[in-house]
Amino acid sequence: MGKTQRFVWLFALAVAACGQGFALHQYVPSHHVHHASRRRAHLRRVLWNPVFRPSHESLLRQNEEIDRLELPRIQNQAELDQLIASEELVPIVEGPSLKIDRRLDPDRRYCRPWTRDFLEDLSDAYHKQFGAQIQVNSAVRTVQVQKKLRRHNRNAAPEKGETASSHLAGITVDLQRRGMTREQVQWVEQYMVPLKNLGLVEPEEERHQWVFHVAVSGRYSDWRESKALAGETDTQEDDSLVSSHDLQQ
Protein backbone atom coordinates (compact mmCIF):
# COMPACT_ATOMS: atom_id res chain seq x y z
CA MET A 1 0.00 0.00 0.00
CA GLY A 2 1.39 3.42 -0.93
CA LYS A 3 1.90 6.26 1.47
CA THR A 4 -1.11 8.16 0.08
CA GLN A 5 -3.45 5.16 0.50
CA ARG A 6 -2.23 4.55 4.06
CA PHE A 7 -2.85 8.21 4.93
CA VAL A 8 -6.40 8.10 3.54
CA TRP A 9 -7.15 4.88 5.40
CA LEU A 10 -5.83 6.22 8.74
CA PHE A 11 -7.73 9.49 8.26
CA ALA A 12 -10.98 7.57 7.68
CA LEU A 13 -10.44 5.57 10.88
CA ALA A 14 -9.80 8.75 12.87
CA VAL A 15 -12.97 10.37 11.56
CA ALA A 16 -15.02 7.27 12.43
CA ALA A 17 -13.59 7.16 15.97
CA CYS A 18 -14.33 10.85 16.53
CA GLY A 19 -17.88 10.37 15.28
CA GLN A 20 -18.49 7.58 17.77
CA GLY A 21 -17.00 9.67 20.56
CA PHE A 22 -19.24 12.62 19.79
CA ALA A 23 -22.22 10.26 19.71
CA LEU A 24 -21.71 9.59 23.41
CA HIS A 25 -22.35 13.27 24.12
CA GLN A 26 -24.93 14.02 21.52
CA TYR A 27 -27.35 16.88 22.08
CA VAL A 28 -30.74 15.94 23.55
CA PRO A 29 -33.53 18.32 22.56
CA SER A 30 -35.13 20.12 25.51
CA HIS A 31 -38.58 18.76 24.73
CA HIS A 32 -37.28 15.23 25.37
CA VAL A 33 -35.96 16.34 28.77
CA HIS A 34 -39.31 17.91 29.70
CA HIS A 35 -41.14 14.81 28.57
CA ALA A 36 -38.94 12.63 30.80
CA SER A 37 -39.52 14.97 33.76
CA ARG A 38 -43.28 14.80 33.27
CA ARG A 39 -43.08 11.03 33.09
CA ARG A 40 -41.17 10.86 36.40
CA ALA A 41 -43.62 13.27 38.06
CA HIS A 42 -46.54 11.15 36.86
CA LEU A 43 -44.87 8.05 38.30
CA ARG A 44 -44.47 9.77 41.69
CA ARG A 45 -48.18 10.66 41.69
CA VAL A 46 -49.11 7.08 40.89
CA LEU A 47 -46.90 5.76 43.71
CA TRP A 48 -48.38 8.32 46.17
CA ASN A 49 -52.10 7.71 45.96
CA PRO A 50 -53.45 8.16 49.50
CA VAL A 51 -56.97 7.43 50.65
CA PHE A 52 -56.95 10.62 52.75
CA ARG A 53 -55.47 13.30 50.53
CA PRO A 54 -54.82 16.65 52.29
CA SER A 55 -57.18 19.43 51.25
CA HIS A 56 -58.43 22.89 52.14
CA GLU A 57 -61.84 21.38 52.92
CA SER A 58 -60.31 18.96 55.41
CA LEU A 59 -58.65 21.84 57.30
CA LEU A 60 -62.00 23.63 57.41
CA ARG A 61 -63.71 20.55 58.88
CA GLN A 62 -61.03 20.21 61.55
CA ASN A 63 -61.50 23.83 62.62
CA GLU A 64 -65.28 23.53 62.54
CA GLU A 65 -65.04 20.70 65.07
CA ILE A 66 -62.78 22.81 67.30
CA ASP A 67 -65.27 25.66 67.15
CA ARG A 68 -68.19 23.31 67.85
CA LEU A 69 -66.41 22.11 70.99
CA GLU A 70 -65.56 25.74 71.90
CA LEU A 71 -61.92 24.82 72.44
CA PRO A 72 -59.24 27.49 72.62
CA ARG A 73 -56.25 27.65 70.31
CA ILE A 74 -53.49 27.39 72.89
CA GLN A 75 -51.38 30.53 72.65
CA ASN A 76 -48.31 29.85 74.76
CA GLN A 77 -46.63 27.63 77.34
CA ALA A 78 -48.53 29.20 80.24
CA GLU A 79 -51.90 28.30 78.70
CA LEU A 80 -50.62 24.82 77.89
CA ASP A 81 -49.49 24.29 81.48
CA GLN A 82 -52.89 25.40 82.76
CA LEU A 83 -54.75 22.93 80.54
CA ILE A 84 -52.43 20.13 81.65
CA ALA A 85 -52.93 21.03 85.32
CA SER A 86 -56.73 20.99 84.90
CA GLU A 87 -56.47 17.65 83.04
CA GLU A 88 -58.24 19.05 80.02
CA LEU A 89 -55.17 17.75 78.25
CA VAL A 90 -53.99 14.26 79.19
CA PRO A 91 -50.59 12.61 78.74
CA ILE A 92 -49.93 10.20 75.91
CA VAL A 93 -48.51 7.10 77.59
CA GLU A 94 -46.15 4.69 75.89
CA GLY A 95 -46.85 0.97 76.09
CA PRO A 96 -46.47 -2.31 74.21
CA SER A 97 -48.52 -0.97 71.28
CA LEU A 98 -47.63 2.74 71.35
CA LYS A 99 -44.39 4.73 71.35
CA ILE A 100 -43.45 8.39 71.06
CA ASP A 101 -40.78 9.94 68.86
CA ARG A 102 -37.87 10.73 71.18
CA ARG A 103 -37.48 14.15 69.53
CA LEU A 104 -40.94 15.27 70.67
CA ASP A 105 -40.73 17.75 73.54
CA PRO A 106 -42.16 16.20 76.75
CA ASP A 107 -44.37 19.30 77.17
CA ARG A 108 -46.07 18.46 73.89
CA ARG A 109 -46.82 14.80 74.61
CA TYR A 110 -50.41 15.65 75.50
CA CYS A 111 -53.79 15.60 73.78
CA ARG A 112 -57.52 15.70 74.51
CA PRO A 113 -58.95 12.65 76.35
CA TRP A 114 -60.96 11.48 73.35
CA THR A 115 -57.89 11.71 71.13
CA ARG A 116 -56.02 9.48 73.56
CA ASP A 117 -58.95 7.03 73.46
CA PHE A 118 -58.60 6.86 69.69
CA LEU A 119 -54.84 6.36 69.97
CA GLU A 120 -55.27 3.48 72.40
CA ASP A 121 -57.87 1.76 70.22
CA LEU A 122 -55.87 2.15 67.01
CA SER A 123 -52.51 1.13 68.48
CA ASP A 124 -53.96 -1.91 70.27
CA ALA A 125 -55.64 -3.11 67.08
CA TYR A 126 -52.47 -2.44 65.03
CA HIS A 127 -50.31 -4.31 67.54
CA LYS A 128 -52.73 -7.23 67.51
CA GLN A 129 -52.57 -7.34 63.70
CA PHE A 130 -48.84 -6.83 63.14
CA GLY A 131 -47.10 -7.18 66.50
CA ALA A 132 -45.67 -3.68 65.98
CA GLN A 133 -46.07 -0.28 67.60
CA ILE A 134 -47.72 2.89 66.33
CA GLN A 135 -45.45 5.92 66.80
CA VAL A 136 -46.67 9.40 67.74
CA ASN A 137 -44.54 12.08 66.08
CA SER A 138 -46.49 15.16 67.18
CA ALA A 139 -49.44 16.07 69.38
CA VAL A 140 -50.48 19.37 71.01
CA ARG A 141 -48.79 22.59 69.91
CA THR A 142 -49.02 26.20 70.96
CA VAL A 143 -49.37 29.14 68.61
CA GLN A 144 -45.80 30.09 69.47
CA VAL A 145 -44.54 26.64 68.46
CA GLN A 146 -46.56 26.71 65.22
CA LYS A 147 -45.09 30.07 64.25
CA LYS A 148 -41.57 28.69 64.70
CA LEU A 149 -42.47 25.58 62.73
CA ARG A 150 -43.70 27.62 59.78
CA ARG A 151 -40.37 29.41 59.52
CA HIS A 152 -38.65 26.27 58.22
CA ASN A 153 -41.61 24.18 57.03
CA ARG A 154 -43.60 25.88 54.28
CA ASN A 155 -46.14 23.02 54.32
CA ALA A 156 -47.15 23.61 57.94
CA ALA A 157 -50.68 24.93 58.52
CA PRO A 158 -51.05 28.56 59.68
CA GLU A 159 -51.35 29.46 63.35
CA LYS A 160 -54.59 31.42 62.86
CA GLY A 161 -57.58 31.67 60.56
CA GLU A 162 -60.13 29.19 59.29
CA THR A 163 -57.43 26.72 58.22
CA ALA A 164 -55.25 26.99 61.35
CA SER A 165 -53.50 23.87 62.56
CA SER A 166 -55.80 21.66 64.63
CA HIS A 167 -52.78 20.72 66.77
CA LEU A 168 -53.37 24.06 68.52
CA ALA A 169 -56.49 22.69 70.24
CA GLY A 170 -54.96 19.34 71.22
CA ILE A 171 -57.39 17.19 69.22
CA THR A 172 -54.80 16.05 66.67
CA VAL A 173 -51.85 13.66 66.52
CA ASP A 174 -49.36 12.88 63.77
CA LEU A 175 -48.59 9.16 63.44
CA GLN A 176 -45.43 7.89 61.78
CA ARG A 177 -46.09 6.42 58.34
CA ARG A 178 -42.50 6.16 57.11
CA GLY A 179 -41.20 2.64 57.59
CA MET A 180 -44.63 1.01 57.38
CA THR A 181 -45.11 -1.63 54.73
CA ARG A 182 -47.73 -1.12 52.02
CA GLU A 183 -49.91 -3.66 53.84
CA GLN A 184 -49.62 -1.76 57.13
CA VAL A 185 -50.44 1.60 55.50
CA GLN A 186 -53.50 0.10 53.81
CA TRP A 187 -54.61 -1.49 57.08
CA VAL A 188 -54.48 1.87 58.90
CA GLU A 189 -56.36 3.52 56.04
CA GLN A 190 -59.10 0.89 56.12
CA TYR A 191 -59.30 1.12 59.91
CA MET A 192 -60.03 4.84 59.68
CA VAL A 193 -62.39 4.82 56.69
CA PRO A 194 -65.54 3.90 58.69
CA LEU A 195 -64.56 6.31 61.47
CA LYS A 196 -64.21 9.13 58.95
CA ASN A 197 -67.56 8.18 57.39
CA LEU A 198 -69.11 8.58 60.84
CA GLY A 199 -67.48 11.97 61.34
CA LEU A 200 -65.35 10.69 64.23
CA VAL A 201 -61.95 11.40 62.70
CA GLU A 202 -60.63 13.72 60.02
CA PRO A 203 -57.41 12.13 58.71
CA GLU A 204 -54.88 13.35 56.18
CA GLU A 205 -51.88 11.51 54.76
CA GLU A 206 -49.18 14.15 54.58
CA ARG A 207 -46.70 13.68 51.77
CA HIS A 208 -43.70 15.70 52.88
CA GLN A 209 -43.69 14.72 56.58
CA TRP A 210 -44.86 11.20 55.72
CA VAL A 211 -47.33 10.89 58.60
CA PHE A 212 -50.99 10.24 59.25
CA HIS A 213 -52.35 13.55 60.55
CA VAL A 214 -55.52 12.64 62.47
CA ALA A 215 -57.94 15.10 64.09
CA VAL A 216 -60.36 13.32 66.43
CA SER A 217 -63.93 14.44 67.08
CA GLY A 218 -65.11 15.09 70.62
CA ARG A 219 -67.85 12.53 69.96
CA TYR A 220 -65.36 9.69 69.73
CA SER A 221 -65.45 8.78 73.44
CA ASP A 222 -69.26 8.66 73.51
CA TRP A 223 -69.27 6.46 70.42
CA ARG A 224 -66.61 4.24 71.96
CA GLU A 225 -68.66 3.88 75.16
CA SER A 226 -71.75 3.00 73.12
CA LYS A 227 -69.79 0.24 71.40
CA ALA A 228 -68.58 -1.08 74.75
CA LEU A 229 -72.06 -1.07 76.23
CA ALA A 230 -73.29 -2.98 73.20
CA GLY A 231 -70.55 -5.56 73.71
CA GLU A 232 -68.80 -4.63 70.46
CA THR A 233 -65.04 -4.37 70.10
CA ASP A 234 -64.53 -4.03 66.35
CA THR A 235 -64.66 -0.35 65.33
CA GLN A 236 -65.02 -1.36 61.70
CA GLU A 237 -68.35 -3.15 62.08
CA ASP A 238 -71.95 -2.10 62.71
CA ASP A 239 -71.77 1.65 62.26
CA SER A 240 -75.52 1.88 62.78
CA LEU A 241 -75.02 3.03 66.39
CA VAL A 242 -74.06 6.50 65.23
CA SER A 243 -75.77 8.48 62.51
CA SER A 244 -73.40 10.12 60.07
CA HIS A 245 -75.97 12.87 59.60
CA ASP A 246 -76.13 13.58 63.34
CA LEU A 247 -72.35 13.82 63.58
CA GLN A 248 -72.27 16.51 60.93
CA GLN A 249 -74.71 18.79 62.79
Side-chain angles (χ1 to χ4, degrees):
M1 182 181 298
K3 291 182 179 180
T4 302
Q5 289 178 314
R6 283 199 300 271
F7 176 78
V8 172
W9 182 73
L10 290 173
F11 179 76
L13 286 178
V15 171
C18 290
Q20 291 174 353
F22 281 121
L24 295 175
H25 305 282
Q26 61 183 332
Y27 170 72
V28 178
S30 60
H31 70 273
H32 288 307
V33 175
H34 295 323
H35 180 71
S37 297
R38 288 197 299 270
R39 191 163 58 244
R40 287 193 294 270
H42 174 71
L43 178 60
R44 286 195 295 269
R45 287 194 296 271
V46 170
L47 294 176
W48 187 74
N49 187 28
V51 172
F52 308 115
R53 188 177 293 273
S55 67
H56 179 80
E57 290 72 22
S58 178
L59 291 174
L60 291 178
R61 287 192 291 269
Q62 293 172 48
N63 279 275
E64 287 169 0
E65 176 63 9
I66 293 170
D67 292 339
R68 185 188 72 80
L69 294 169
E70 298 182 345
L71 297 175
R73 275 73 171 181
I74 306 166
Q75 297 296 312
N76 50 45
Q77 187 65 40
E79 290 187 10
L80 178 61
D81 291 341
Q82 184 177 2
L83 290 169
I84 292 173
S86 65
E87 298 184 347
E88 293 181 63
L89 291 173
V90 295
I92 298 171
V93 181
E94 291 187 306
S97 63
L98 186 68
K99 63 180 178 179
I100 302 173
D101 189 329
R102 293 290 176 258
R103 296 168 294 180
L104 183 60
D105 189 321
D107 286 341
R108 291 170 49 206
R109 299 181 182 189
Y110 290 84
C111 63
R112 296 290 173 176
W114 55 87
T115 303
R116 188 172 68 175
D117 287 344
F118 164 77
L119 268 179
E120 291 176 354
D121 293 343
L122 170 62
S123 62
D124 286 348
Y126 184 85
H127 186 265
K128 182 178 179 181
Q129 181 72 20
F130 299 106
Q133 293 174 303
I134 288 284
Q135 176 172 299
V136 177
N137 283 4
S138 187
V140 67
R141 296 177 195 156
T142 66
V143 169
Q144 288 179 339
V145 169
Q146 193 69 19
K147 285 181 178 179
K148 292 179 181 178
L149 181 63
R150 281 175 58 81
R151 291 174 190 167
H152 59 83
N153 181 1
R154 62 184 179 85
N155 297 299
E159 71 278 2
K160 60 183 178 180
E162 62 181 7
T163 60
S165 171
S166 56
H167 285 281
L168 303 178
I171 69 170
T172 299
V173 288
D174 288 346
L175 307 177
Q176 174 81 350
R177 191 159 52 105
R178 188 179 302 279
M180 285 186 176
T181 66
R182 182 186 296 271
E183 179 187 4
Q184 289 169 334
V185 169
Q186 290 177 342
W187 184 92
V188 174
E189 289 172 335
Q190 293 308 308
Y191 181 95
M192 289 195 290
V193 164
L195 298 178
K196 176 176 170 58
N197 290 341
L198 291 171
L200 297 173
V201 299
E202 183 59 41
E204 294 183 329
E205 293 177 67
E206 296 185 6
R207 184 174 187 179
H208 298 283
Q209 280 66 52
W210 212 250
V211 295
F212 289 103
H213 167 101
V214 189
V216 185
S217 168
R219 297 185 177 96
Y220 184 87
S221 292
D222 291 338
W223 173 82
R224 184 195 202 207
E225 184 177 351
S226 296
K227 299 283 282 187
L229 290 174
E232 299 175 10
T233 58
D234 188 350
T235 62
Q236 294 176 305
E237 295 179 358
D238 191 9
D239 57 10
S240 61
L241 288 175
V242 182
S243 166
S244 178
H245 173 75
D246 291 341
L247 291 174
Q248 300 301 324
Q249 300 304 310

Short mmCIF file of all heavy atoms in Angstrom, two decimals, residues 171-207:
data_model
loop_
_atom_site.label_atom_id
_atom_site.label_comp_id
_atom_site.label_asym_id
_atom_site.label_seq_id
_atom_site.Cartn_x
_atom_site.Cartn_y
_atom_site.Cartn_z
N ILE A 171 -56.55 18.31 69.67
CA ILE A 171 -57.39 17.19 69.22
C ILE A 171 -56.68 16.30 68.21
O ILE A 171 -57.21 15.26 67.81
CB ILE A 171 -58.72 17.69 68.60
CG1 ILE A 171 -58.46 18.39 67.25
CG2 ILE A 171 -59.46 18.60 69.55
CD1 ILE A 171 -59.74 18.68 66.47
N THR A 172 -55.46 16.68 67.83
CA THR A 172 -54.80 16.05 66.67
C THR A 172 -53.46 15.43 67.04
O THR A 172 -52.72 15.95 67.88
CB THR A 172 -54.59 17.10 65.57
OG1 THR A 172 -55.86 17.59 65.16
CG2 THR A 172 -53.87 16.52 64.37
N VAL A 173 -53.16 14.30 66.40
CA VAL A 173 -51.85 13.66 66.52
C VAL A 173 -51.33 13.33 65.13
O VAL A 173 -52.11 13.10 64.20
CB VAL A 173 -51.92 12.36 67.36
CG1 VAL A 173 -52.14 12.66 68.83
CG2 VAL A 173 -53.01 11.42 66.85
N ASP A 174 -50.02 13.34 65.00
CA ASP A 174 -49.36 12.88 63.77
C ASP A 174 -48.73 11.52 64.06
O ASP A 174 -47.96 11.38 65.02
CB ASP A 174 -48.27 13.85 63.33
CG ASP A 174 -48.83 15.15 62.77
OD1 ASP A 174 -50.04 15.18 62.48
OD2 ASP A 174 -48.06 16.11 62.63
N LEU A 175 -49.06 10.53 63.24
CA LEU A 175 -48.59 9.16 63.44
C LEU A 175 -47.61 8.79 62.33
O LEU A 175 -47.89 9.00 61.15
CB LEU A 175 -49.77 8.19 63.44
CG LEU A 175 -50.91 8.53 64.41
CD1 LEU A 175 -52.05 7.54 64.27
CD2 LEU A 175 -50.40 8.57 65.84
N GLN A 176 -46.49 8.24 62.73
CA GLN A 176 -45.43 7.89 61.78
C GLN A 176 -45.93 6.92 60.73
O GLN A 176 -46.48 5.87 61.03
CB GLN A 176 -44.25 7.27 62.54
CG GLN A 176 -43.14 6.73 61.67
CD GLN A 176 -42.19 7.81 61.20
OE1 GLN A 176 -42.46 8.98 61.35
NE2 GLN A 176 -41.08 7.42 60.62
N ARG A 177 -45.73 7.29 59.45
CA ARG A 177 -46.09 6.42 58.34
C ARG A 177 -44.85 5.87 57.64
O ARG A 177 -44.88 4.79 57.06
CB ARG A 177 -46.96 7.20 57.35
CG ARG A 177 -47.62 6.36 56.27
CD ARG A 177 -48.81 7.08 55.67
NE ARG A 177 -48.50 8.41 55.22
CZ ARG A 177 -48.35 8.75 53.93
NH1 ARG A 177 -48.46 7.84 52.99
NH2 ARG A 177 -48.07 9.99 53.59
N ARG A 178 -43.76 6.62 57.71
CA ARG A 178 -42.50 6.16 57.11
C ARG A 178 -42.04 4.88 57.82
O ARG A 178 -42.01 4.81 59.05
CB ARG A 178 -41.42 7.23 57.22
CG ARG A 178 -40.15 6.90 56.44
CD ARG A 178 -39.13 8.01 56.57
NE ARG A 178 -39.64 9.28 56.10
CZ ARG A 178 -39.69 9.64 54.82
NH1 ARG A 178 -39.26 8.80 53.88
NH2 ARG A 178 -40.17 10.82 54.47
N GLY A 179 -41.65 3.91 57.04
CA GLY A 179 -41.20 2.64 57.59
C GLY A 179 -42.28 1.57 57.63
O GLY A 179 -41.99 0.39 57.78
N MET A 180 -43.55 1.99 57.46
CA MET A 180 -44.63 1.01 57.38
C MET A 180 -44.59 0.32 56.02
O MET A 180 -44.21 0.92 55.02
CB MET A 180 -46.00 1.68 57.54
CG MET A 180 -46.36 2.08 58.94
SD MET A 180 -48.08 2.71 59.00
CE MET A 180 -48.28 2.99 60.75
N THR A 181 -44.98 -0.93 56.00
CA THR A 181 -45.11 -1.63 54.73
C THR A 181 -46.39 -1.17 54.03
O THR A 181 -47.25 -0.52 54.65
CB THR A 181 -45.19 -3.15 54.94
OG1 THR A 181 -46.41 -3.46 55.66
CG2 THR A 181 -44.00 -3.66 55.76
N ARG A 182 -46.50 -1.48 52.75
CA ARG A 182 -47.73 -1.12 52.02
C ARG A 182 -48.95 -1.75 52.70
O ARG A 182 -50.00 -1.11 52.81
CB ARG A 182 -47.63 -1.60 50.57
CG ARG A 182 -48.83 -1.23 49.71
CD ARG A 182 -48.71 -1.87 48.33
NE ARG A 182 -47.55 -1.36 47.63
CZ ARG A 182 -47.57 -0.28 46.85
NH1 ARG A 182 -48.70 0.39 46.69
NH2 ARG A 182 -46.49 0.12 46.21
N GLU A 183 -48.80 -2.99 53.16
CA GLU A 183 -49.91 -3.66 53.84
C GLU A 183 -50.31 -2.93 55.11
O GLU A 183 -51.51 -2.77 55.41
CB GLU A 183 -49.51 -5.11 54.18
CG GLU A 183 -50.61 -5.89 54.90
CD GLU A 183 -50.14 -7.25 55.38
OE1 GLU A 183 -48.94 -7.57 55.22
OE2 GLU A 183 -50.98 -8.01 55.93
N GLN A 184 -49.33 -2.46 55.88
CA GLN A 184 -49.62 -1.76 57.13
C GLN A 184 -50.28 -0.41 56.87
O GLN A 184 -51.24 -0.04 57.57
CB GLN A 184 -48.33 -1.57 57.92
CG GLN A 184 -47.80 -2.88 58.51
CD GLN A 184 -46.39 -2.74 59.06
OE1 GLN A 184 -45.61 -1.88 58.63
NE2 GLN A 184 -46.04 -3.59 60.02
N VAL A 185 -49.82 0.32 55.85
CA VAL A 185 -50.44 1.60 55.50
C VAL A 185 -51.90 1.37 55.09
O VAL A 185 -52.80 2.09 55.53
CB VAL A 185 -49.67 2.29 54.37
CG1 VAL A 185 -50.46 3.48 53.82
CG2 VAL A 185 -48.30 2.76 54.86
N GLN A 186 -52.14 0.38 54.26
CA GLN A 186 -53.50 0.10 53.81
C GLN A 186 -54.39 -0.33 54.97
O GLN A 186 -55.57 0.03 55.01
CB GLN A 186 -53.46 -0.98 52.72
CG GLN A 186 -52.85 -0.50 51.42
CD GLN A 186 -52.75 -1.61 50.37
OE1 GLN A 186 -52.82 -2.80 50.70
NE2 GLN A 186 -52.57 -1.22 49.13
N TRP A 187 -53.82 -1.07 55.92
CA TRP A 187 -54.61 -1.49 57.08
C TRP A 187 -55.05 -0.27 57.89
O TRP A 187 -56.21 -0.18 58.30
CB TRP A 187 -53.78 -2.44 57.96
CG TRP A 187 -54.55 -3.00 59.12
CD1 TRP A 187 -55.25 -4.17 59.16
CD2 TRP A 187 -54.71 -2.39 60.42
NE1 TRP A 187 -55.84 -4.33 60.40
CE2 TRP A 187 -55.52 -3.25 61.18
CE3 TRP A 187 -54.24 -1.21 60.99
CZ2 TRP A 187 -55.87 -2.97 62.50
CZ3 TRP A 187 -54.60 -0.92 62.30
CH2 TRP A 187 -55.40 -1.79 63.04
N VAL A 188 -54.13 0.66 58.14
CA VAL A 188 -54.48 1.87 58.90
C VAL A 188 -55.53 2.68 58.15
O VAL A 188 -56.49 3.19 58.74
CB VAL A 188 -53.22 2.73 59.17
CG1 VAL A 188 -53.62 4.05 59.83
CG2 VAL A 188 -52.24 1.97 60.06
N GLU A 189 -55.37 2.79 56.84
CA GLU A 189 -56.36 3.52 56.04
C GLU A 189 -57.74 2.89 56.19
O GLU A 189 -58.73 3.60 56.43
CB GLU A 189 -55.94 3.52 54.58
CG GLU A 189 -54.73 4.39 54.27
CD GLU A 189 -54.23 4.22 52.85
OE1 GLU A 189 -54.47 3.15 52.25
OE2 GLU A 189 -53.57 5.14 52.34
N GLN A 190 -57.81 1.57 56.04
CA GLN A 190 -59.10 0.89 56.12
C GLN A 190 -59.68 0.94 57.53
O GLN A 190 -60.90 0.93 57.70
CB GLN A 190 -58.96 -0.56 55.64
CG GLN A 190 -58.65 -0.68 54.16
CD GLN A 190 -59.63 0.11 53.31
OE1 GLN A 190 -60.85 -0.04 53.45
NE2 GLN A 190 -59.11 0.95 52.43
N TYR A 191 -58.82 0.98 58.53
CA TYR A 191 -59.30 1.12 59.91
C TYR A 191 -60.02 2.45 60.10
O TYR A 191 -61.05 2.54 60.78
CB TYR A 191 -58.11 1.01 60.87
CG TYR A 191 -58.47 1.12 62.34
CD1 TYR A 191 -58.68 -0.02 63.12
CD2 TYR A 191 -58.60 2.37 62.96
CE1 TYR A 191 -59.00 0.08 64.47
CE2 TYR A 191 -58.92 2.48 64.31
CZ TYR A 191 -59.12 1.33 65.06
OH TYR A 191 -59.45 1.43 66.40
N MET A 192 -59.47 3.50 59.47
CA MET A 192 -60.03 4.84 59.68
C MET A 192 -61.17 5.20 58.74
O MET A 192 -61.90 6.16 59.01
CB MET A 192 -58.91 5.87 59.59
CG MET A 192 -57.94 5.83 60.76
SD MET A 192 -56.87 7.29 60.89
CE MET A 192 -55.81 7.06 59.46
N VAL A 193 -61.33 4.48 57.64
CA VAL A 193 -62.39 4.82 56.69
C VAL A 193 -63.77 4.87 57.34
O VAL A 193 -64.51 5.86 57.20
CB VAL A 193 -62.38 3.86 55.48
CG1 VAL A 193 -63.70 3.94 54.71
CG2 VAL A 193 -61.22 4.19 54.55
N PRO A 194 -64.21 3.82 58.08
CA PRO A 194 -65.54 3.90 58.69
C PRO A 194 -65.64 4.99 59.76
O PRO A 194 -66.70 5.58 59.94
CB PRO A 194 -65.74 2.50 59.29
CG PRO A 194 -64.38 1.94 59.44
CD PRO A 194 -63.59 2.50 58.32
N LEU A 195 -64.54 5.26 60.45
CA LEU A 195 -64.56 6.31 61.47
C LEU A 195 -64.71 7.69 60.82
O LEU A 195 -65.43 8.54 61.34
CB LEU A 195 -63.27 6.26 62.29
CG LEU A 195 -63.03 4.97 63.10
CD1 LEU A 195 -61.69 5.03 63.83
CD2 LEU A 195 -64.16 4.74 64.09
N LYS A 196 -64.05 7.87 59.69
CA LYS A 196 -64.21 9.13 58.95
C LYS A 196 -65.64 9.25 58.42
O LYS A 196 -66.24 10.34 58.47
CB LYS A 196 -63.21 9.22 57.80
CG LYS A 196 -63.42 10.48 56.95
CD LYS A 196 -62.37 10.61 55.87
CE LYS A 196 -62.73 11.71 54.88
NZ LYS A 196 -62.91 13.03 55.53
N ASN A 197 -66.19 8.15 57.92
CA ASN A 197 -67.56 8.18 57.39
C ASN A 197 -68.57 8.56 58.48
O ASN A 197 -69.61 9.15 58.19
CB ASN A 197 -67.92 6.83 56.79
CG ASN A 197 -67.16 6.55 55.50
OD1 ASN A 197 -66.63 7.46 54.87
ND2 ASN A 197 -67.10 5.28 55.12
N LEU A 198 -68.25 8.23 59.72
CA LEU A 198 -69.11 8.58 60.84
C LEU A 198 -68.82 9.98 61.38
O LEU A 198 -69.49 10.45 62.30
CB LEU A 198 -68.93 7.56 61.98
CG LEU A 198 -69.47 6.15 61.72
CD1 LEU A 198 -69.04 5.20 62.82
CD2 LEU A 198 -70.98 6.17 61.59
N GLY A 199 -67.82 10.64 60.85
CA GLY A 199 -67.48 11.97 61.34
C GLY A 199 -66.69 11.95 62.62
O GLY A 199 -66.61 12.97 63.32
N LEU A 200 -66.08 10.82 62.96
CA LEU A 200 -65.35 10.69 64.23
C LEU A 200 -63.88 11.06 64.11
O LEU A 200 -63.25 11.41 65.11
CB LEU A 200 -65.48 9.26 64.76
CG LEU A 200 -66.91 8.82 65.11
CD1 LEU A 200 -66.94 7.33 65.45
CD2 LEU A 200 -67.45 9.65 66.25
N VAL A 201 -63.32 10.97 62.93
CA VAL A 201 -61.95 11.40 62.70
C VAL A 201 -61.88 12.15 61.38
O VAL A 201 -62.71 11.94 60.48
CB VAL A 201 -60.94 10.21 62.67
CG1 VAL A 201 -60.93 9.46 64.00
CG2 VAL A 201 -61.22 9.28 61.51
N GLU A 202 -60.91 13.02 61.27
CA GLU A 202 -60.63 13.72 60.02
C GLU A 202 -59.14 13.51 59.73
O GLU A 202 -58.29 14.26 60.19
CB GLU A 202 -60.95 15.21 60.14
CG GLU A 202 -60.77 15.99 58.85
CD GLU A 202 -61.63 15.46 57.71
OE1 GLU A 202 -62.81 15.12 57.95
OE2 GLU A 202 -61.11 15.39 56.58
N PRO A 203 -58.82 12.45 58.96
CA PRO A 203 -57.41 12.13 58.71
C PRO A 203 -56.89 12.73 57.40
O PRO A 203 -57.65 12.98 56.46
CB PRO A 203 -57.43 10.60 58.63
CG PRO A 203 -58.82 10.26 58.17
CD PRO A 203 -59.72 11.41 58.48
N GLU A 204 -55.58 12.96 57.39
CA GLU A 204 -54.88 13.35 56.18
C GLU A 204 -53.57 12.57 56.13
O GLU A 204 -52.95 12.33 57.17
CB GLU A 204 -54.55 14.85 56.17
CG GLU A 204 -55.75 15.76 56.10
CD GLU A 204 -55.34 17.22 56.03
OE1 GLU A 204 -54.28 17.58 56.58
OE2 GLU A 204 -56.10 18.00 55.42
N GLU A 205 -53.17 12.18 54.93
CA GLU A 205 -51.88 11.51 54.76
C GLU A 205 -50.91 12.53 54.16
O GLU A 205 -50.93 12.78 52.96
CB GLU A 205 -52.03 10.28 53.86
CG GLU A 205 -52.88 9.19 54.51
CD GLU A 205 -53.10 7.99 53.61
OE1 GLU A 205 -52.12 7.28 53.32
OE2 GLU A 205 -54.26 7.80 53.18
N GLU A 206 -50.10 13.11 55.03
CA GLU A 206 -49.18 14.15 54.58
C GLU A 206 -48.05 13.53 53.77
O GLU A 206 -47.50 12.49 54.12
CB GLU A 206 -48.63 14.91 55.78
CG GLU A 206 -49.73 15.67 56.54
CD GLU A 206 -49.16 16.52 57.65
OE1 GLU A 206 -47.92 16.62 57.76
OE2 GLU A 206 -49.96 17.08 58.42
N ARG A 207 -47.69 14.22 52.70
CA ARG A 207 -46.70 13.68 51.77
C ARG A 207 -45.28 14.03 52.17
O ARG A 207 -44.38 13.21 52.10
CB ARG A 207 -46.98 14.21 50.37
CG ARG A 207 -46.07 13.63 49.31
CD ARG A 207 -46.48 14.08 47.94
NE ARG A 207 -45.73 13.41 46.89
CZ ARG A 207 -45.91 13.61 45.60
NH1 ARG A 207 -46.84 14.46 45.21
NH2 ARG A 207 -45.20 12.97 44.71
#
